[in-house]
Amino acid sequence: MIPSGASPHQLAESGRLTPDTARLTAADHDKQMALSILTAEGVQVTETGPAPDSGLAWDHVMATAQQIVDREWDRITAVAEALLAAPDCTLTGTQAAQIAGITAA
């Protein structure tokens, strides 16, 4: 299982980088979903060039997302491994949160 958000660098480190897994890291539907969510929240995003006033440039969105994935990679992989080991590949939200070390506030 390749978690959404995995980068080619992370796949290479784990020994799972192949032409097929590399293609999975460039999911256009993820980009469209992110753009839709940001637009729905009133955030203007430019896909190329400088950010509009009070908006974001897509490269900034991607850089921020990659920093978060890098920071949380151990949690992401822990939950992914637990999902693979769980009956029917299912976990409750509470189980996933416990595995990731996230506690309710």
Side-chain angles (χ1 to χ4, degrees):
M1 178 172 149
I2 305 301
S4 179
S7 72
H9 175 75
Q10 291 157 332
L11 293 173
E13 282 183 351
S14 68
R16 297 183 285 179
L17 182 61
T18 67
D20 289 333
T21 59
R23 279 192 291 278
L24 292 174
T25 67
D28 287 335
H29 66 279
D30 289 344
K31 178 180 182 179
Q32 292 308 313
M33 180 182 285
L35 289 170
S36 294
I37 291 168
L38 290 166
T39 301
E41 292 296 319
V43 178
Q44 191 177 17
V45 179
T46 183
E47 293 187 53
T48 59
D53 289 341
S54 302
L56 298 170
W58 180 248
D59 60 346
H60 176 77
V61 173
M62 288 299 299
T64 301
Q66 189 60 55
Q67 289 172 353
I68 294 167
V69 168
D70 290 346
R71 183 181 68 231
E72 301 298 332
W73 189 247
D74 289 342
R75 290 179 180 191
I76 293 167
T77 56
V79 173
E81 289 169 3
L83 278 167
L84 290 172
D88 298 323
C89 285
T90 58
L91 296 172
T92 66
T94 300
Q95 290 170 320
Q98 288 172 336
I99 292 163
I102 301 168
T103 56

